[in-house]
Amino acid sequence: MTEDEFDAFYAAAFPRLTGQLAAFTGDREEAQDVVQEAFVRAWDRRGDFLADEAPEAWIRTVAMRLAVSRWRRARRWLELVRRTPPPVSTPGPSPDHPALVAALRQLPTAQRMVIVLHHLCDVSVEQIASETGAPVGTVKARLYRGRAALAKQLTLDEADGADVPVRSRKESGRVG
């Protein structure tokens, strides 16, 4: 079958096959998807279609098998979901979270990046240097300056009585 013959066959058969598969699946969009996938597979075999002499039947069979396969996958997924217990509720962000995010936003981008990568993503200084293209010493300097700026900003927020909860001296690292 030539490309032009295949295009003509597609134009004539697609609506008919989609209607048949919609009756089979009960879902017109699903039917369009499986018929389209069957035509994609047929495109690779278009040279063999003259020997088959039943290209529409071949495409209908492939599309029906695809639909059944999708049903089976969906059913297995649903069974898996039903057997899997719901996730344990994860606690929301701590009250310090908004203050930390606000303080991070005030840092220069380079400092914010290394702080987040190192402290939140557990990336080593060497990996950060490799990822950012900055020398290791520069990464260390940015970490140092970023930490100092964060400490200053968070201390100012606490002193201003911002929406940061008062922490005990033990929690904040201040003992005495």
Side-chain angles (χ1 to χ4, degrees):
M1 186 178 286
T2 66
E3 289 183 21
D4 291 337
E5 290 171 335
F6 189 88
D7 289 345
F9 168 63
Y10 175 85
F14 184 81
R16 186 172 42 253
L17 288 167
T18 299
Q20 294 166 1
L21 267 291
F24 179 68
T25 64
D27 182 346
R28 186 150 187 86
E29 290 176 2
E30 178 73 12
Q32 289 173 339
D33 286 348
V34 294
V35 170
Q36 186 66 40
E37 177 64 26
F39 268 104
V40 167
R41 293 180 183 191
W43 175 258
D44 295 332
R45 304 188 73 219
R46 67 184 180 278
D48 300 335
F49 269 18
L50 288 178
D52 289 346
E53 294 186 18
E56 192 168 326
W58 186 89
I59 290 176
R60 182 176 30 259
T61 301
V62 170
M64 286 183 152
R65 287 178 180 164
L66 287 168
V68 168
S69 178
R70 287 182 178 197
W71 280 339
R72 287 180 180 148
R73 272 195 310 270
R75 189 178 69 223
R76 279 193 304 261
W77 180 83
L78 187 58
E79 288 170 2
L80 177 66
V81 167
R82 285 181 180 159
R83 283 192 308 239
T84 305
V88 177
S89 177
T90 56
S94 73
D96 292 337
H97 184 77
L100 177 61
V101 170
L104 280 169
R105 286 185 181 148
Q106 301 209 3
L107 292 178
T109 304
Q111 289 177 11
R112 182 174 48 231
M113 183 187 313
V114 297
I115 292 284
V116 168
L117 288 173
H118 188 69
H119 292 289
L120 300 179
C121 301
D122 292 326
V123 178
S124 71
V125 171
E126 292 76 19
Q127 289 174 312
I128 294 170
S130 174
E131 287 181 25
T132 62
V136 172
T138 302
V139 172
K140 289 179 180 180
R142 288 176 181 166
L143 277 170
Y144 176 79
R145 290 183 188 124
R147 287 180 195 134
L150 277 176
K152 182 179 177 184
Q153 185 63 37
L154 291 172
T155 303
L156 286 175
D157 286 349
E158 274 186 13
D160 291 343
D163 291 351
V164 178
V166 177
R167 296 178 291 178
S168 70
R169 287 185 175 165
K170 185 176 181 181
E171 289 177 331
S172 65
R174 291 182 243 148
V175 180

